[in-house]
Amino acid sequence: MVVKNIPFVVETANRTSNSVMFATIPFNAILHSLGTDSLEERWFTLFETDWKGNFKHQVPMQCDFSSNKIYWILPSGQQPRARFYTLRIDTSSKTDTVSSDGKVEVKDDGKVLKFIVGGDEFAVYRYSDEWKPFFHPVNSPYGSVTRGRGVEHPHQHGLWITYGGEGTGPTGMWSEQTGPPLGPNGRMVHKCFRILKSGPIFAHVVEELDYVRGDNGAKFGHEIRDIKVYNLPSDQRIIDFHLAIAPPDDMTINRRIAFSVRVADSMRITKLTKGYGIENAPRLERPGKIINSEGWMQYRDRQRGNSMPAKWIDFSGPVGNGWAGITLMDHPTNIDYPSNIGGRAYGCVGIHKKYPSTIPVGGRAFLELKFRAYVHVGDGEEANSDGKWNDFAKAPVVVIGDPL
């Protein structure tokens, strides 16, 4: 039996309620000190302590050995300036995972992944779709904030990532047409899951995808997609995306990567009626609301356009018997940050990036991108989307002490 305690302190003053936290832990050094070839998650327990190191209570946590991190979630309420913790390593521990109602489960039925948070279905990831994987439904307490395929703009569905622009030929994946005028369009094809793991703090999925041409089915790109869904209350849930995209073998000018959402029809601002354009269509009696991090609001600030550099964009509106929304967030480490982030009153918002020409095709380099989707009750201001972006964008400040 080996027992080690690793004390650390975390700055929490600028964190929101239920903020997802992480700390980098030297797992390789721990392996060496334990004289073992592998680590088991059941050996690790996290305790909150006072400033002297006296144990107060156990904190649910989860290890991600691949990234040398442990994750936990702050409690609700105003946060103190700092919190003190001790990570205990006990090789004799036989404690295993928590019950299903206290964790995030990911279940694979061969066509879709279902993410179950605290026993409730939160989101479905449709990885076997004919054109591209996407999330739908994505549920708030009042119902889904996303729409599936519709008659209008059928290529806009759920929460999704795509490559290329509209009408960019066989490598473009924004549209979904097998022939003219915009096709044949390319596809994102699911290859396998490297990781499918449930846990007390998050469910973790790592997926491999191929990008294939729409004319001859040839592969022209590859992506590794890392997804985390966290164990948070139903009124403030988070999906994180970390993409590693190989340089596409594509010479078109529109090498765009888009992170987009098509919201539920009940959340729209305008109707789509014959005889009207996209932006001058009549408004719904109870329209939704688009705002961004810079204080821009759809319609009120129309003269500033539909797209501008911003940290995040939020679309909210009526869902069921309440009001709910979804915020899409850009990360400061992403290329072209802050990007132009746009919204359309009929129900679509997105963050767009351009794949850089400086990464050569056939090399070992990947473009890495981080995005977050925040599903909430109320509009973006009421749900504190700016504070939640700060949680996402700024890594926790952690000071680790010497093992005891």
Side-chain angles (χ1 to χ4, degrees):
M1 178 182 73
V2 179
V3 177
K4 286 182 178 292
N5 291 324
I6 301 177
F8 60 95
V9 59
V10 184
E11 184 180 1
T12 56
N14 296 318
R15 298 279 153 177
T16 67
S17 291
N18 304 118
S19 176
V20 176
M21 304 292 286
F22 62 85
T24 300
I25 301 297
F27 285 125
N28 288 335
I30 292 171
L31 271 172
H32 179 74
S33 68
L34 295 178
T36 182
D37 295 328
S38 62
L39 297 173
E40 296 189 34
E41 191 157 355
R42 61 187 173 86
W43 294 349
F44 294 83
T45 310
L46 183 65
F47 295 91
E48 186 165 4
T49 71
D50 62 21
W51 66 275
K52 293 181 179 179
N54 298 312
F55 285 14
K56 295 166 65 176
H57 56 85
Q58 185 176 340
V59 177
M61 58 147 286
Q62 187 169 339
C63 297
D64 184 355
F65 295 128
S66 63
S67 65
N68 290 315
K69 290 182 173 66
I70 62 167
Y71 288 80
W72 72 99
I73 295 172
L74 290 180
S76 59
Q78 186 173 354
Q79 302 302 317
R81 182 177 178 182
R83 289 182 182 271
F84 298 85
Y85 298 93
T86 292
L87 179 66
R88 168 163 285 188
I89 307 164
D90 182 353
T91 60
S92 68
S93 175
K94 294 182 171 26
T95 304
D96 212 337
T97 55
V98 296
S99 63
S100 62
D101 60 353
K103 69 177 184 178
V104 188
E105 295 180 280
V106 55
K107 298 181 178 181
D108 183 7
D109 74 357
K111 293 184 178 180
V112 305
L113 299 181
K114 293 185 178 182
F115 290 88
I116 314 297
V117 183
D120 297 327
E121 183 176 288
F122 164 54
V124 177
Y125 184 60
R126 302 177 182 276
Y127 65 84
S128 61
D129 183 74
E130 177 185 5
W131 291 98
K132 63 179 77 75
F134 65 99
F135 276 94
H136 176 73
V138 179
N139 288 313
S140 74
Y142 304 119
S144 179
V145 297
T146 60
R147 182 198 80 167
R149 280 192 173 87
V151 175
E152 156 267 312
H153 290 91
H155 56 285
Q156 297 177 5
H157 41 78
L159 175 68
W160 82 100
I161 293 157
T162 193
Y163 172 84
E166 188 172 41
T168 51
T171 57
M173 302 177 191
W174 179 260
S175 302
E176 297 177 348
Q177 296 186 11
T178 57
L182 300 177
N185 298 125
R187 304 168 192 265
M188 286 184 173
V189 179
H190 167 82
K191 300 302 293 181
C192 67
F193 290 117
R194 289 185 177 184
I195 296 174
L196 277 178
K197 183 180 179 182
S198 303
I201 304 301
F202 59 84
H204 191 193
V205 174
V206 178
E207 178 187 25
E208 290 194 35
L209 297 154
D210 282 344
Y211 296 6
V212 300
R213 294 175 61 94
D215 52 358
N216 58 18
K219 174 182 172 180
F220 73 93
H222 186 72
E223 177 191 330
I224 299 170
R225 182 174 298 181
D226 188 308
I227 299 170
K228 288 185 173 78
V229 174
Y230 296 95
N231 190 1
L232 293 166
S234 61
D235 61 347
Q236 47 179 299
R237 293 216 165 125
I238 286 172
I239 306 173
D240 273 350
F241 297 83
H242 186 173
L243 316 179
I245 306 173
D249 188 6
D250 171 27
M251 301 309 293
T252 61
I253 61 172
N254 198 343
R255 304 172 85 206
R256 181 184 71 177
I257 298 107
F259 176 52
S260 307
V261 65
R262 180 61 195 259
V263 300
D265 285 342
S266 63
M267 297 168 62
R268 294 159 70 140
I269 299 172
T270 60
K271 304 174 184 178
L272 273 185
T273 306
K274 286 186 177 180
Y276 292 91
I278 287 176
E279 295 305 326
N280 64 355
R283 299 180 70 178
L284 296 174
E285 291 182 7
R286 193 181 178 210
K289 182 179 180 181
I290 301 174
I291 60 174
N292 72 14
S293 59
E294 311 312 301
W296 170 90
M297 184 183 298
Q298 185 85 16
Y299 274 90
R300 185 192 68 190
D301 303 316
R302 177 180 280 186
Q303 71 276 9
R304 295 170 65 183
N306 291 306
S307 182
M308 64 183 295
K311 299 178 292 188
W312 55 262
I313 191 164
D314 183 84
F315 205 135
S316 65
V319 178
N321 61 358
W323 191 282
I326 182 169
T327 309
L328 303 188
M329 301 182 182
D330 197 2
H331 197 276
T333 61
N334 288 343
I335 192 171
D336 298 332
Y337 171 85
S339 297
N340 277 351
I341 298 180
R344 293 289 188 178
Y346 67 80
C348 186
V349 294
I351 302 172
H352 297 167
K353 303 289 181 180
K354 187 173 182 180
Y355 204 100
S357 59
T358 53
I359 302 179
V361 175
R364 301 187 67 179
F366 283 69
L367 173 67
E368 295 195 38
L369 296 170
K370 296 177 182 179
F371 299 114
R372 172 169 285 185
Y374 167 45
V375 181
H376 57 79
V377 167
D379 64 27
E381 293 172 314
E382 295 166 337
N384 192 16
S385 290
D386 209 54
K388 294 298 183 181
W389 175 86
N390 184 74
D391 290 346
F392 174 53
K394 299 177 182 179
V397 178
V398 180
V399 178
I400 297 179
D402 293 327
L404 303 176

